[in-house]
Each structure stands twice: as C-alpha cells, then as structure tokens.
Amino acid sequence: MDWTFSAAHEMAAALRAGEVTSAELTDEAITRIERDDKEINAICVRDFDRARAAARGADQARARGEDRPLLGIPVTVKESYDVAGLPTTWGMPPHRNHLPAEDAVQVSRLKGAGAVVLGKTNVPFGLQDVQSFNEIYGTTNNPWDHRRTSGGSSGGSAAALASGFGALSIGSDLAGSLRTPAHFCGVYAHKPTLGLAASRGMVPPSTQALPVEPDLAVVGPMARTARDLTLLLDVMAGPDPLTLGVAYDVTLPPARHERLADFRVLVLDGHPSLPTGSAVRAGVNRVADALADGGARVERHSPLLPDLAEAALIYTQLLFSGSVARFPVEAYEQLRDRAAQLSGDDQSLDAARLRGMVVSHRDWIEANTRRELHRHGWRQFFAEFDAVVCPITHTPAFPHDHHPDPRERRLDIDGVEYPYFDQLVWAGLATMPGLPATAVPAGRSPEGLPVGVQLIGPMYEDRTPLRLAELLEQRIGGFRAPWQDPGEVRESP
C-alpha cells in the first residue's frame, strides 16, 4: 500500500495493527522527497540518517508494547525551530553555520510523542514574508503551480504536506504564517490561542532560547486532515516547563458541539480595508452553503462583531512595533522622520505600518488597551456565536515576486493592484486578540489553485473550530494532492 498521502491517524492505526512499520513509512517518505523535492524545494535541511534510526527505534519500542501519540509517524519541522545538530538560520546568510545544541520545546515534544523527524522546511528571510525564499536555501514552489508561492513563513511545511513529504509538520504564525501557506497549498493548519503552546527554541539564531512568549506570535500544527490537527495540537499544547509549566497543566474544554446542526456561525466574505477576490469569496460561500445544508445557524451580519477596520489598524500597529527592534540607529531615525511627516488624517494601513515601527511605549500601551476592548467584544460575540468563517487572505497563491523592496510589490486582486502587506488584514482578525483559528480547504479556484477559509473560535476553546473543521471535511471534502491530477501541476518556466 502507498502511504504517501495517508493521514497521521491512519498511519498510527496501521502501525498499531502491525500493517506497516515506521521504517517502511520513513523510507517511503524519504524516497518521495529524494524524487520530487528538486522541483518543490520544501525540505531545506535533511536528516535522513537520524530519521531512519528513530524509525527503527520506534518499531522496537512498539514491539516492546509501547505506544505514544505519534510513535513512528514521519514528520517535518519548520526551519526556524532549533533541532540539535541541524542548522537554524531563519534564512539569514550570516547564520548559515549556526548549530543549536538543544531541541526547541516543541521538537522535544514531537520526539517525546514518538515522531520521526525527517528534516526542516524552508522559510523566508527572517520569517518576514508571505513567500518562502532566501539566499541560503532558495525558493519553495507551490506544488499546484511551480510558478507560484507556497506562502510564508511556514511555506516549506505546507508544500511538504501537499507533496507527501511526511504526515505532519509544525510551524508558527504571527501574520498568517500557518494559515496562508495552508490556504495556498490546500492543507490544514491551526493557529492556537495565544500562549497555549510554548515556543522556546523558536527564536532567531542570534538569540538565546529563553522561555519568553512573544506578543501575537504562536506555534502550531499543520496536517492533511482536520483530525490530525487535533492529534498534533494535543502534543504541542501546554506551557513552558521552565515557567508556568512549573505549576500548571493545560486541559482544553471540549468542543461546544459535536453535530454541525448545533453550530451558530457568522460568515464574512468582505473586509472594509481591502477587497476579497472572487475565488476566495466563492470558497467562503461554498463553506457557508455546506453549513446551512447541514442545519447550522448561519448569519451574515451581527452588531456584536468588533469593528474590522479598527481591528486591522490596531493589529498593524502592534505587528510592526516589534519589527525594527534590531534596526541600526540611523535607519530607525529615518523611519521616525518619515512618520513625523504623515498627515494626522492618514489612516491607511501603510501609515499604520510606519507609525507602528516608531511607536512610543505610551502609544503602544494605548494600542494594547484598545486590543483588550476588542477581546472583551469577542467574548460577548462568542456568547451568541460559536465560530466565524472568513477568508485567510484575499487571493489564491500568487506568482513569485522577489522584488527586494516589499513596498514596491503589489497584490493583484481581480485585476486591481494593492499594497503587498495589506493582505495581512484577514490574518490579523484572529491574531490581534489572540483567538484560535483553523485553516481548512474550501475547494479550488477556476485556475485550479487551492482556496481555504479560516474558522475563528473563542479563546482557549480551540477544540470548537477544530471540531467544526472535521465536520466540514466530512461534508465538503478536504485535502486532495496535486499529484492525483496528472497534468494539472504547472511547471516553472
């Protein structure tokens, strides 16, 4: 049997039944990587010798009667996670020889759960792009169309899953970095509630791996099925053992409902800050129809919904406030001079980005206070609704654009160009208040590209959007490999 595109939970059941060994699963994944990754370039750091040894160890452990959640399952890890003995560069050439001595917390949890780590997946420079390319490892192509991006910054992980390079992967999300690649590549991802999963060891190579939880950013699971997201999240969830983990364990509440007919859902397909492309709107409406056909209560408007335009501005300010921390003094002063020249009436996202980069501590506290008001608004909203269905970003995967100045790049939405970074507003809807959000496939565009949506749920109730994702997968289908449609993959020119 070919296990290439099997779900992790299916592999686990087969391993327990003795139908396959971890060594066989691992060899099959390695063979596929060696055969196909020349075109995709998803696995930037290979660790095949240790993977084969770990697989043999998993088979021996199972023969002794052991069983763990991921025992013998081949997985990949985003390059930005420390893995002892493998380079962690974040795509930055000065750090190409940085070799951490210890595993990141999440890598330790993967290995503790019995996973077999095949290697590390590609990222953009400094994790600061919606594409995945850098001078060290090159460009990761979208498995559906090699001329297009796989997304960023977890683009290598999404492309690996879509290509059959392992059953699971772990990534991170600050500006849609889990959800956007999942949307572009047709796989699943889950951005957990802020702080739910410890992130120590997912730090730039020049930074000591301390138990500090950054603002907005999370680490989370990626998979080819919704059920596998839950399987992996259960391994990842929990505080850092050096801090809150000293005193606390995590017990996530169960999903609010088990049946689709019991869910109360608000569907959004438009954002006041930027138009949503027709292919993405079609995906949202496809999910809305499936929900309604399944008996769910579906609404299109609610006075309880926090102001989307204000949310985008707050998110932009908070996001970019941390982006210049290591800038040279001269560059920072230039930004301050540019910000001082902005008109007070300029409430564009471009202006919000510039103001955010030079925001004072006093103004940051004000922005954070506004965030808390939005969080309170979301608590009131989720007293009446169980989830929000909305876009992840505004278009399917776009063509590679490596212009060295992102400010000069443009996003084409149905033939109209917009500033490149404006596309982050849908991702920020969940990120700014710290809500969980699950990315699910929702069909394909007229050009055959994957289209996904995100299911946003209440804080610390991650199982609610995850359960809704499972129910939708059963109703409208889920991942389908590009390799299952011969001739549809578009080669690089």
Side-chain angles (χ1 to χ4, degrees):
M1 176 176 174
D2 184 351
W3 296 93
T4 301
F5 291 107
S6 297
H9 68 270
E10 294 170 340
M11 291 183 182
L15 286 164
R16 293 186 182 106
E19 298 171 2
V20 69
T21 66
S22 178
E24 290 169 336
L25 292 176
T26 300
D27 281 340
E28 186 174 285
I30 290 172
T31 297
R32 192 165 195 95
I33 293 168
E34 291 176 335
R35 189 189 76 189
D36 295 336
D37 199 36
K38 295 180 182 66
E39 293 293 330
I40 305 301
N41 192 33
I43 312 299
C44 61
V45 180
R46 299 180 178 186
D47 199 20
F48 294 165
D49 288 343
R50 290 198 298 184
R52 287 190 168 105
R56 291 192 297 270
D59 289 333
Q60 292 165 1
R62 195 170 292 282
R64 295 192 298 267
E66 295 182 26
D67 192 17
R68 284 170 269 162
L70 304 179
L71 186 59
I73 305 295
V75 307
T76 60
V77 172
K78 188 175 181 177
E79 200 271 356
S80 49
Y81 286 89
D82 285 349
V83 178
L86 298 183
T88 298
T89 70
W90 287 41
M92 298 185 286
H95 303 291
R96 66 172 67 242
N97 296 319
H98 175 70
L99 294 175
E102 295 181 351
D103 289 340
V105 168
Q106 294 301 338
V107 175
S108 294
R109 288 177 178 173
L110 276 180
K111 292 180 178 179
V116 174
V117 177
L118 298 167
K120 305 179 78 175
T121 59
N122 202 21
V123 297
F125 179 92
L127 312 190
Q128 294 183 335
D129 206 340
V130 191
Q131 305 173 71
S132 291
F133 68 94
N134 60 74
E135 292 182 19
I136 302 175
Y137 299 120
T139 300
T140 297
N141 295 318
N142 191 302
W144 291 87
D145 183 342
H146 299 167
R147 299 168 298 186
R148 296 175 184 265
T149 181
S150 62
S153 61
S154 305
S157 288
L161 288 167
S163 302
F165 304 160
L168 301 167
S169 195
I170 57 173
S172 60
D173 194 310
L174 172 66
S177 289
L178 285 161
R179 293 163 285 163
T180 298
H183 158 63
F184 284 172
C185 294
V187 299
Y188 289 80
H190 181 70
K191 185 200 87 68
T193 296
L194 182 65
L196 178 63
S199 62
R200 178 165 47 91
M202 219 288 298
V203 293
S206 60
T207 307
Q208 188 174 354
L210 299 173
V212 177
E213 299 300 331
D215 189 32
L216 300 174
V218 300
V219 297
M222 306 183 78
R224 284 191 293 268
T225 72
R227 182 175 170 184
D228 283 353
L229 290 179
T230 300
L231 175 68
L232 185 49
L233 180 65
D234 286 345
V235 170
M236 299 181 73
D240 194 301
L242 298 182
T243 53
L244 293 177
V246 174
Y248 301 121
D249 291 322
V250 164
T251 302
L252 289 173
R256 290 186 175 186
H257 312 292
E258 288 298 316
R259 300 188 315 141
L260 196 58
D262 295 329
F263 275 86
R264 305 160 298 170
V265 181
L266 179 70
V267 174
L268 305 173
D269 65 0
H271 195 288
S273 301
L274 193 68
T276 301
S278 57
V280 173
R281 287 200 312 273
V284 172
N285 291 325
R286 192 176 300 118
V287 170
D289 290 344
L291 290 168
D293 291 346
R297 188 189 110 195
V298 178
E299 303 287 346
R300 291 285 186 160
H301 305 281
S302 172
L304 295 172
L305 181 69
D307 185 280
L308 298 187
E310 183 184 45
L313 289 173
I314 297 170
Y315 168 67
T316 300
Q317 185 171 5
L318 293 172
L319 174 65
F320 282 84
S321 68
S323 65
V324 297
R326 295 179 178 84
F327 272 32
V329 173
E330 298 79 7
Y332 181 73
E333 291 299 330
Q334 291 175 4
L335 290 171
R336 290 185 61 182
D337 290 342
R338 286 176 49 206
Q341 296 171 17
L342 290 171
S343 166
D345 296 329
D346 188 346
Q347 295 300 304
S348 67
L349 292 172
D350 258 343
R353 284 188 282 271
L354 184 53
R355 291 188 181 108
M357 286 189 280
V358 296
V359 66
S360 69
H361 184 55
R362 180 180 184 276
D363 288 341
W364 188 94
I365 290 175
E366 172 60 27
N368 188 53
T369 299
R370 289 158 61 205
R371 167 168 52 184
E372 291 299 337
L373 291 172
H374 273 253
R375 280 180 175 153
H376 184 62
W378 281 112
R379 283 190 285 269
Q380 294 174 310
F381 174 88
F382 283 118
E384 297 295 329
F385 290 90
D386 302 308
V388 173
V389 173
C390 65
I392 294 167
T393 187
H394 304 262
T395 69
F398 51 84
H400 296 296
D401 183 353
H402 297 175
H403 194 290
D405 185 352
R407 294 174 300 177
E408 297 298 319
R409 300 178 195 164
R410 291 293 180 266
L411 180 69
D412 184 310
I413 303 177
D414 292 343
V416 181
E417 293 187 345
Y418 296 88
Y420 181 73
F421 281 122
D422 282 9
Q423 66 186 289
L424 304 182
V425 295
W426 277 122
L429 186 61
T431 299
M432 186 269 286
L435 301 172
T438 306
V440 303
R444 290 193 285 170
S445 74
E447 296 77 26
L449 298 169
V451 172
V453 302
Q454 60 180 331
L455 315 175
I456 301 175
M459 286 190 78
Y460 300 108
E461 295 189 50
D462 293 60
R463 295 195 192 282
T464 292
L466 286 166
R467 177 56 181 164
L468 183 57
E470 285 190 55
L471 294 169
L472 282 169
E473 183 179 17
Q474 295 166 12
R475 194 159 194 91
I476 65 174
F479 170 77
R480 185 169 65 153
W483 312 104
Q484 293 171 344
D485 297 305
E488 288 198 4
V489 178
R490 297 160 181 82
E491 301 296 334
S492 301

